[in-house]
Amino acid sequence: MPLLKANSVFVSNSFFIFITRFFPSLANLLVLVWYSRNLSETDYGNYQLFWIQLYVIYPLISFGLHNVIVTYSRNFLANILSKIKVLHYAIYVFWSIALSVVFALLQSRLGQVHFFTALLFILSFSVGVITESLLIVFRKYSVLTWTGFLYAASFCAIHWWALSVGLSLQELFSLLLVVSMLRVFVYSCAVLIEVKKDVDGYVEEFVDLGSVRALWLHLGLYDVVQMLSTWVDKFAVALVLTAGLSAIYYNGAQNVPFLPILLSAAGSAVLLQLADRNGLPEKETTLQLVNESGRMLSSIVFPVFFFLYIFRSELFVSILSEKYIPAIPIFAVSILSLPVRAYSFTTVLQRAHKGHIINIGAVAELLLAVLLMYPLYLWMGLPGVALSFVISTYLQAAFYLIATARHLQVSPLHLLPLRNWVVKFILYGSVLLVIHHLGTIQYTGKGTLLLGVLGMVLLILFTFVFELNRKKHHGRAAEPIQA
């Protein structure tokens, strides 16, 4: 059946997009653990300051281009690019260099990394994000996967060597810059090879540049606001508190590895499917895909949430060492927003060019979090800073859900596989609580943690395989829940 085939392709695209970003994310996790254990809180805080400032500024350079790119088909992108004037390309290049100079000045004034090293690093990082999105549209997953793997291996090796011989931050980031530029070179060559394959040109399509430009501006603002929502608390803490306290907060409020790229992969896969739906009714296809996405993502996100929350003490002591015990309460609060990550709330709105709605939710979420940060800090300390973003995240999700339902003219309950989620929530929580209880009786902290990891992995495999078999046996995705 067409919709079953579409769902199968969705799973395939999600997997390949995820795996292309998996290895760099794994490398970042390994470095976080190594450096947390082997550096003092002050030195670790100074190291992370480079990445905090990078992640605050680079979204202003890419400005949503990577999100716009995966919204359209390959042919439509060619039509768009052919209609953009050279002057506009020049303005964008100037904008990118100007922001890179700001980042470089921040780093050089701190005395951590030299001006030109920081300048080239953020430029190559931003170009890499954009070219990666082009290769996703071209379905060049093998290039992305192998390049990502080699980049991650080099990233880990350089950090390990720097730690072993005591390299300065300047020397460390100079080596990382070489690896980053090599990755951009490979991506750029792959893009050019794909472009040259279209020797006969592309099929002319009508392009409403005003609509495309509006979507780009909205997605650019959304991307900036989302990155600020992720990093502004860490940025603020790094500015007003000591490097040691900043390191504690950074590790406590750290994003769960791999889940952001999993959500991004699922959202990109839905957009790719909707762009190539081949005449299938868009409303019906959309409802099927978003429900399927919610079922699949919850099979991973929910077990991870319960594992991290229930085994949080064992996790921090065993992996990051006892010096980060003060970060555990911050972590316990920050991951409360994790269950809502089992759904891509903006995908349908992005497809419908409802960028203004996306941005209303994004800006409101950031402003609310910032307004709540200081009062909650006075009340709870650093965990209160994390709580402000948990509250704003849930309110934002509710806003997007209602807006999407209004656009599709359905009940919000049609968009969510609620019964599926409730059953999984009860199952995962109960099983992992029992495993933790038994583990604390029978084993040490590390033994309990390993038992929890095994239980989490088995739950993910069991429910993920169950969801795949459900589609196979029923011959179609399950119907949306009726209001």
Side-chain angles (χ1 to χ4, degrees):
M1 298 176 69
L3 285 175
L4 177 60
K5 181 179 179 181
N7 285 325
S8 299
V9 176
F10 158 73
V11 174
S12 176
N13 283 333
S14 297
F15 171 77
F16 283 118
I17 296 171
F18 171 79
I19 205 66
T20 62
R21 298 167 178 169
F22 169 79
F23 295 113
S25 184
L26 176 62
N28 283 324
L29 174 62
L30 292 175
V31 169
L32 183 150
V33 173
W34 293 342
Y35 277 42
S36 293
R37 295 181 68 90
N38 291 284
L39 293 179
S40 68
E41 291 94 323
T42 299
D43 289 339
Y44 179 70
N46 288 329
Y47 164 76
Q48 288 295 353
L49 186 58
F50 179 92
W51 296 109
I52 291 171
Q53 293 182 345
L54 176 81
Y55 284 117
V56 168
I57 295 177
Y58 104 82
L60 292 168
I61 297 175
S62 61
F63 205 73
L65 283 176
H66 53 295
N67 290 324
V68 174
I69 287 169
V70 298
T71 305
Y72 300 112
S73 66
R74 174 176 181 152
N75 189 79
F76 198 79
L77 277 177
N79 279 274
I80 294 173
L81 293 173
S82 68
K83 291 175 173 57
I84 298 176
K85 297 178 180 179
V86 174
L87 176 62
H88 294 150
Y89 284 111
I91 291 173
Y92 177 73
V93 170
F94 175 79
W95 168 260
S96 301
I97 294 175
L99 288 170
S100 299
V101 168
V102 172
F103 173 74
L105 286 173
L106 286 173
Q107 289 299 310
S108 61
R109 287 181 178 178
L110 290 170
Q112 294 198 130
V113 180
H114 294 168
F115 179 88
F116 285 106
T117 302
L119 176 74
L120 294 174
F121 195 98
I122 194 171
L123 278 174
S124 64
F125 189 90
S126 303
V127 174
V129 170
I130 295 170
T131 51
E132 179 186 77
S133 296
L134 286 169
L135 291 177
I136 288 174
V137 173
F138 294 155
R139 309 295 205 275
K140 301 301 294 181
Y141 299 126
S142 60
V143 174
L144 290 167
T145 301
W146 281 107
T147 306
F149 172 77
L150 294 174
Y151 172 83
S154 302
F155 188 87
C156 288
I158 289 170
H159 277 89
W160 176 82
W161 189 55
L163 197 61
S164 300
V165 302
L167 295 182
S168 67
L169 287 178
Q170 165 60 27
E171 293 168 326
L172 169 63
F173 284 105
S174 294
L175 293 173
L176 292 176
L177 172 61
V178 174
V179 176
S180 179
M181 295 184 74
L182 286 173
R183 179 173 63 167
V184 170
F185 176 75
V186 173
Y187 283 175
S188 300
C189 289
V191 169
L192 291 174
I193 290 171
E194 285 299 305
V195 170
K196 288 182 178 179
K197 287 181 180 179
D198 297 327
V199 291
D200 297 326
Y202 51 87
V203 179
E204 285 286 344
E205 294 184 59
F206 171 74
V207 176
D208 183 355
L209 279 182
S211 177
V212 173
R213 188 183 301 109
L215 177 65
W216 168 54
L217 292 174
H218 285 307
L219 289 180
L221 177 59
Y222 174 75
D223 191 50
V224 170
V225 173
Q226 284 296 97
M227 292 301 290
L228 285 176
S229 295
T230 302
W231 293 96
V232 70
D233 54 335
K234 303 174 183 68
F235 189 81
V237 169
L239 284 179
V240 301
L241 299 179
T242 64
L245 286 175
S246 174
I248 289 172
Y249 183 81
Y250 181 89
N251 278 356
Q254 181 63 241
N255 284 332
V256 178
F258 314 125
L259 288 184
I261 62 174
L262 177 65
L263 178 62
S264 175
S268 297
V270 171
L271 288 170
L272 289 173
Q273 285 303 102
L274 290 176
D276 297 326
R277 68 184 190 279
N278 296 323
L280 290 174
E282 181 159 358
K283 180 177 177 179
E284 183 180 355
T285 304
T286 300
L287 290 173
Q288 295 285 354
L289 286 175
V290 296
N291 272 268
E292 194 63 41
S293 172
R295 290 186 184 89
M296 293 298 181
L297 286 174
S298 64
S299 298
I300 300 173
V301 174
F302 289 177
V304 170
F305 164 70
F306 280 109
F307 166 75
L308 293 175
Y309 190 85
I310 295 170
F311 293 83
R312 60 189 183 276
S313 296
E314 292 84 359
L315 186 72
F316 268 73
V317 173
S318 300
I319 296 180
L320 299 181
S321 80
E322 293 183 352
K323 65 185 175 184
Y324 284 102
I325 288 178
I328 295 176
I330 302 170
F331 182 74
V333 172
S334 66
I335 63 170
L336 292 177
S337 63
L338 197 55
V340 82
R341 305 299 183 190
Y343 193 85
S344 181
F345 287 93
T346 61
T347 299
V348 177
L349 296 173
Q350 181 177 337
R351 170 64 184 172
H353 286 208
K354 300 293 183 180
H356 63 290
I357 296 178
I358 294 175
N359 281 329
I360 289 172
V363 173
E365 187 261 350
L366 178 60
L367 290 177
L368 178 62
V370 170
L371 289 174
L372 291 174
M373 263 183 12
Y374 186 63
L376 290 177
Y377 172 74
L378 294 177
W379 177 40
M380 299 174 61
L382 288 177
V385 179
L387 180 60
S388 65
F389 286 88
V390 173
I391 294 171
S392 61
T393 295
Y394 275 92
L395 291 176
Q396 181 194 54
F399 171 78
Y400 284 148
L401 188 67
I402 293 171
T404 301
R406 287 181 177 176
H407 167 68
L408 294 175
Q409 297 182 335
V410 297
S411 166
L413 295 180
H414 283 172
L415 299 170
L416 302 174
L418 286 178
R419 282 181 290 192
N420 182 280
W421 283 0
V422 170
V423 171
K424 288 177 179 175
F425 215 73
I426 296 172
L427 172 67
Y428 300 144
S430 301
V431 171
L432 288 171
L433 275 172
V434 170
I435 291 175
H436 183 263
H437 177 69
L438 295 176
T440 54
I441 295 174
Q442 298 292 330
Y443 303 104
T444 62
K446 289 184 178 179
T448 301
L449 183 63
L450 290 174
L451 190 64
V453 170
L454 178 62
M456 177 190 68
V457 171
L458 290 176
L459 283 172
I460 291 174
L461 291 176
F462 172 77
T463 51
F464 203 79
V465 170
F466 173 81
E467 292 290 356
L468 291 175
N469 286 334
R470 175 189 55 80
K471 287 196 308 173
K472 180 179 178 181
H473 292 316
H474 286 272
R476 58 184 176 85
E479 294 298 330
I481 297 172
Q482 299 298 316

